[in-house]
Amino acid sequence: QVQLVESGGGLVQAGGSLRLSCAASGNILAINVMGWYRQVPGKQRELVASMTSGGNTNYVDSIKGRFTISRDNAKNTVYQQMSSLKPEDTAVYYCNLKGKYTNGIRVIDFDSWGQGTQVTVSS
């Protein structure tokens, strides 16, 4: 099993910054795809940023130039630095990691989600 724990959300004024963290635990062998999603009530969860193990990144247009996804391989942790925040960025943010882990017997694919962290941007 691979578990993800998110941190770093909160309340911030428009124009401010926050950094979200997503720490993975378990017998992880590889993290192949990392993503940050967000969801507001009544809407579908939206992928806002992603990164592959090779370092390729993609961002939704609404956050380009303001958000940056990164990782610390040694800590199995993924980050999202969010700057120039706007009220429309208010949402619950979720991390999603896909990769491989071992249970000591075999290698297993995982596709895990964090618990979600609330980001609220006031105008």
Side-chain angles (χ1 to χ4, degrees), residues 10-18 85 119-123:
L11 173 64
V12 65
Q13 289 188 332
S17 299
L18 285 173
L85 283 161
V119 171
T120 303
V121 184
S122 63
S123 58

Side-chain angles (χ1 to χ4, degrees), residues 55-77:
N56 293 319
T57 58
N58 278 291
Y59 300 94
V60 69
D61 287 345
S62 60
I63 59 95
K64 280 182 180 177
R66 301 188 297 119
F67 292 11
T68 303
I69 186 171
S70 62
R71 66 182 293 182
D72 184 329
N73 292 332
K75 296 181 179 179
N76 282 331
T77 299

Side-chain angles (χ1 to χ4, degrees), residues 1 5 12 31 33-34 36 42 49 54 62 66 71 77-78 85 87 94 96 101 104:
Q1 294 282 352
V5 177
V12 65
I31 299 175
V33 180
M34 297 139 274
W36 284 99
S62 60
R66 301 188 297 119
R71 66 182 293 182
T77 299
V78 178
L85 283 161
Y94 299 89
N96 172 255
Y101 77 102

